[in-house]
């Protein structure tokens, strides 16, 4: 959600800013801009729309300079206009870019207006620019001014700041939103995501909460929230340029759907090689798992649906009670803490603000047993959790999560197996059976991908529809939820999901010949019940689109369309059935002509509430 790139060098850094912003387009945005120091002036270009339009404006304007900042904005405060686009400039002296939300911007706006500052935008970000300028006017030191300004901000932010009077450094700061520094030779950079800098460097420093940094061409100085000079570890990013290139695929979403067999294999590698053992989750995991008496899963969006599947695995396999809550709901409700509970947070980016704040809330209530399931190393959630399991999905660029979801399911299955074994609920024979199923999972996912031509034909029936219904039972109800979410995210077809048994308690009133009904119908113990629910739909003239297993014993008929996934995969079946619902959403969106990778109003990394 929004993107920041900054650089200082002995060369023109505008191409670095533009390239970096293009790498961040996947995060979701509606305008873009850049500001650089050039010939003793702060020069800026901003455009509503794509980075390419901003780039064209920069070329036409002859924008160039050795120090500057760039930004892609996802509108929160104020509409999608050029005046609201970043960077924001205060009195032609201070330029600021900002991710996040400033909660006390109204109070600061009133104060700064009284001090004589004139606001040109509706954004909370312009408050930061004027506040930094106010303190810079007093101190004539950009670092001090930035530190004084951020100390007065309430909310979540990552910012980059440039001062006309200081051509040899830029400053940046973070609180609640990700920001990292990239290290070069005689030049340095900062960005909200390492992918923005991968063309320039893989050497990075991740800023901690409350850090403020002074970045010059040859030096990086970092101060913590107390103003103490600190050293943060330098790391080498594992993200490669190839990982964020499209290759032969038309869209990132398509690429990432097809990468799922490999992503699952990579995520499962540790358990396949050395078996089920607690230290997969950290050196302290065995002791923690011995102490816990229940599990609380905190997540949002697609990760929340993964948690719903995980709950059923944990309770049925490990015989341990499990709750699943949306992070943004948990953090504000009056919950009853249980010190013996394992708090599991799930996030693709590791920076999801709702989930991060929920973890802080849990820890403030005395929960010390925490585990993060995350796809991004050194992100906020793993750093703030006692235990961690990294999924190995690789860079996920498409806004609609696909391979992150299935690898999260893999991680939760491993967690359920580990707790089951440690609690004495996993026999040697069952362990062998589950391990064999995990070895076969990547092949089964590839088999499911081979169904794409059939799913593509179904998409023709969805493209002209306004509504769709998804049904599932047991382990597969969360997959129905995920299928509905994917369809509405990228095709803008209104879709809802229900447990199939709930159909007769209300949703059946919606069914007619214009409402396609997608059914997840694996060959499990609930299949006959699902068939009965399908009859209820058929009797009302509904069109059924059924994802069944190869060994399910029913075929196509009038108003009943069937695609068969591989043979029933037992407890791993939800992971396999995720593939066809992703493909359905993707091809329905293609037929409708929507922007598959950048759906309207949405962003990849949700760092605001």
């Amino acid at each position: 959600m929004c993107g920041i790139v900054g650089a200082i060098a002995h060369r023109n850094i505008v191409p670095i800013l533009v390239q970096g912003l293009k790498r961040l387009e996947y995060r979701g945005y509606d305008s873009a801009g850049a500001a650089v120091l050039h010939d003793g002036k702060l020069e800026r270009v901003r455009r509503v729309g794509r980075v390419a339009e901003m780039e064209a404006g920069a070329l036409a304007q002859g924008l160039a300079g050795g120090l500057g900042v760039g930004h892609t904005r996802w509108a929160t405060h104020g509409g999608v206009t050029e005046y609201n686009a970043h960077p924001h400039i205060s009195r032609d002296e201070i330029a600021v870019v900002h991710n996040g939300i400033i909660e006390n911007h109204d109070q600061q706006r009133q104060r700064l207006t009284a001090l004589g500052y004139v606001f040109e935008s509706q954004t909370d970000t312009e408050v930061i620019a004027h506040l930094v300028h106010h303190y810079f006017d007093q101190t004539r030191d950009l670092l001090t001014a930035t530190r004084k300004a951020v100390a007065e901000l309430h909310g979540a932010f990552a910012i980059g700041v440039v001062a006309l009077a200081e051509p040899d450094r830029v400053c940046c700061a973070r609180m609640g939103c990700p920001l990292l520094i990239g290290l070069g030779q005689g030049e340095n950079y900062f960005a909200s995501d390492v992918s923005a800098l991968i063309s320039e460097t893989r050497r990075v420093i991740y800023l901690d909460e409350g850090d403020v940094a002074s970045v010059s061409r040859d030096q990086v100085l970092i101060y913590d929230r107390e103003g103490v000079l600190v050293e943060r570890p330098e790391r080498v990013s594992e993200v490669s340029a190839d990982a964020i290139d499209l290759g032969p695929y038309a869209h990132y979403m398509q690429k990432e759907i097809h990468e799922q067999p490999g992503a699952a294999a990579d995520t499962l590698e540790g358990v396949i090689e050395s078996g089920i053992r607690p230290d997969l989750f950290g050196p302290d995991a065995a002791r923690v798992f011995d102490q816990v008496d229940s599990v609380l899963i905190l997540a949002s969006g697609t990760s929340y649906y993964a948690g719903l599947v995980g709950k059923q695995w944990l309770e049925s396999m490990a015989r341990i009670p499990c709750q699943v809550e949306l992070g943004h709901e948990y953090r504000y409700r009056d919950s009853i803490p249980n010190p013996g509970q394992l708090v599991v947070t799930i996030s693709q980016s590791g920076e999801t603000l709702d989930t991060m704040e929920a973890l802080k809330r849990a820890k403030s209530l005395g929960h010390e047993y925490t585990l993060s399931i995350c796809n991004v190393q050194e992100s906020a959630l793993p750093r703030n959790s006692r235990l961690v399991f990294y999924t190995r999905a690789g860079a996920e660029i498409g806004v609609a999560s696909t391979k992150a979801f299935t690898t999260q399911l893999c991680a939760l299955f491993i967690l359920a197996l580990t707790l089951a074994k440690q609690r004495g609920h996993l026999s040697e024979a069952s362990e062998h059976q589950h391990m064999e199923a995990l070895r076969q999972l990547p092949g089964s996912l590839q088999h499911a991908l081979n169904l794409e031509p059939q799913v593509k034909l179904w998409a023709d029936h969805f493209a002209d529809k306004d509504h769709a219904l998804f049904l599932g039972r047991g382990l597969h109800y969360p997959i129905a939820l995920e299928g509905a979410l994917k369809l509405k995210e990228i095709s803008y077809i209104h879709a809802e999901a229900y447990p199939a048994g709930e159909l007769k308690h209300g949703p059946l009133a919606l069914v007619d010949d214009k409402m396609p009904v997608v059914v997840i119908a694996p060959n499990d113990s609930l299949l006959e019940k699902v068939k009965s629910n399908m009859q209820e739909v058929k009797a009302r003239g509904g069109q059924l689109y059924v994802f069944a297993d190869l060994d399910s014993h029913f075929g196509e008929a009038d108003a009943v369309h069937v695609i068969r996934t591989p043979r029933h995969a037992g407890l791993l079946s939800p992971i396999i059935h995720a593939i066809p619902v992703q493909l359905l959403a993707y091809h329905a969106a293609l037929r409708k002509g929507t922007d598959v990778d950048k759906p309207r109003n949405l962003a990849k990394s949700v760092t605001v509430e």
Side-chain angles (χ1 to χ4, degrees), residues 235-474:
R235 304 186 186 278
V236 178
S237 172
E238 295 182 2
V239 176
S240 68
D242 290 342
I244 49 181
D245 286 336
L246 268 175
Y249 297 98
H251 301 91
Y252 282 112
M253 184 176 181
Q254 183 189 30
K255 175 178 184 277
E256 288 155 11
I257 289 173
H258 281 267
E259 286 175 340
Q260 286 176 107
D266 289 344
T267 298
L268 295 169
E269 183 180 17
V271 72
I272 296 299
E273 285 184 350
S274 53
I276 299 162
R277 60 186 205 280
D279 63 2
L280 290 166
F281 298 87
D284 196 30
R287 195 180 75 79
V288 169
F289 291 165
D290 270 341
Q291 301 296 317
V292 300
D293 58 18
S294 59
V295 178
L296 170 63
I297 296 175
L298 300 172
S300 300
T302 286
S303 297
Y304 172 73
Y305 298 152
L308 292 178
V309 178
K311 168 186 169 69
Q312 297 191 52
W313 283 333
L314 285 161
E315 293 193 340
S316 65
M317 297 164 64
R319 312 305 298 169
I320 188 168
C322 180
Q323 299 169 260
V324 188
E325 294 203 42
L326 291 161
H328 45 80
E329 293 298 311
Y330 171 81
R331 68 176 291 205
Y332 292 116
R333 77 175 184 83
D334 188 12
S335 57
I336 302 173
N338 171 12
Q341 199 165 46
L342 177 66
V343 177
V344 180
T345 52
I346 310 173
S347 168
Q348 188 281 138
S349 68
E351 303 283 353
T352 306
L353 185 63
D354 299 330
T355 309
M356 188 65 227
E357 291 300 321
L359 175 60
K360 290 180 183 177
R361 166 72 172 162
K363 291 170 75 172
S364 74
L365 293 174
H367 290 279
E368 62 172 294
Y369 302 136
T370 57
L371 164 65
S372 168
I373 294 174
C374 179
N375 192 45
V376 180
Q377 293 199 17
E378 296 304 318
S379 52
L381 279 169
R383 288 202 309 269
N384 287 276
S385 299
R386 185 164 176 177
L387 306 177
V388 62
F389 186 96
Y390 286 112
T391 56
R392 297 172 63 187
E396 188 180 65
I397 306 300
V399 167
S401 182
T402 52
K403 61 179 180 174
F405 175 64
T406 48
T407 53
Q408 286 168 356
L409 290 174
C410 290
L412 286 164
F413 192 78
I414 295 169
L415 176 63
L417 283 176
T418 304
L419 285 172
K421 185 173 183 178
Q422 187 140 341
R423 293 166 63 85
H425 297 298
L426 186 66
S427 68
E428 188 175 334
S430 293
E431 181 177 353
H432 177 77
Q433 182 181 1
H434 289 309
M435 291 297 292
E436 188 57 34
L438 288 174
R439 289 188 184 92
Q440 294 178 9
L441 180 61
S444 296
L445 292 173
Q446 186 58 56
H447 187 151
L449 284 169
N450 295 340
L451 302 172
E452 187 167 13
Q454 299 174 58
V455 177
K456 188 175 180 180
L457 293 175
W458 276 14
D460 293 339
H461 300 285
F462 283 75
D464 63 346
K465 300 296 190 296
D466 296 318
H467 309 278
L469 200 61
F470 284 70
L471 303 176
R473 294 192 80 141

Side-chain angles (χ1 to χ4, degrees), residues 475-536:
L475 278 170
H476 296 83
Y477 166 51
I479 304 306
L481 286 165
E482 176 63 8
L485 176 62
K486 285 291 162 285
L487 190 67
K488 58 189 159 194
E489 271 185 309
I490 61 168
S491 74
Y492 316 145
I493 296 170
H494 173 244
E496 298 297 335
Y498 291 91
E502 191 70 7
L503 192 64
K504 55 189 173 292
H505 294 286
L508 196 58
L510 297 171
V511 173
D512 59 19
D513 60 358
K514 298 180 180 61
M515 169 77 83
V517 179
V518 180
V519 185
I520 316 298
N523 188 23
D524 60 14
S525 60
L526 293 171
L527 180 59
E528 293 306 316
K529 297 293 184 183
V530 173
K531 286 182 178 180
S532 296
N533 302 137
M534 289 166 53
Q535 290 301 321
E536 295 167 1

Side-chain angles (χ1 to χ4, degrees), residues 31-79:
S31 60
V36 298
L37 283 183
H38 182 59
D39 286 343
K41 292 188 296 182
L42 260 179
E43 297 185 355
R44 172 178 62 180
V45 61
R46 299 181 292 178
R47 293 290 187 274
V48 170
R50 296 307 184 198
V51 173
E53 296 170 52
M54 186 274 287
E55 181 183 19
L59 287 171
Q61 190 174 313
L63 192 71
L67 177 159
V69 289
H71 190 265
T72 51
R73 175 181 185 251
W74 187 83
T76 53
H77 294 77

Side-chain angles (χ1 to χ4, degrees), residues 65-118:
L67 177 159
V69 289
H71 190 265
T72 51
R73 175 181 185 251
W74 187 83
T76 53
H77 294 77
V80 182
T81 67
E82 188 170 308
Y83 286 107
N84 288 330
H86 298 212
H88 288 283
I89 292 179
S90 179
R91 296 184 177 176
D92 297 323
E93 291 187 279
I94 298 291
V96 168
V97 291
H98 162 230
N99 290 353
I101 284 182
I102 305 304
E103 294 174 357
N104 63 333
H105 71 97
D106 279 336
Q107 300 95 307
Q108 291 289 354
R109 181 180 285 255
Q110 292 172 19
R111 172 194 170 197
L112 290 161
T113 299
L115 289 171
Y117 287 92
V118 176

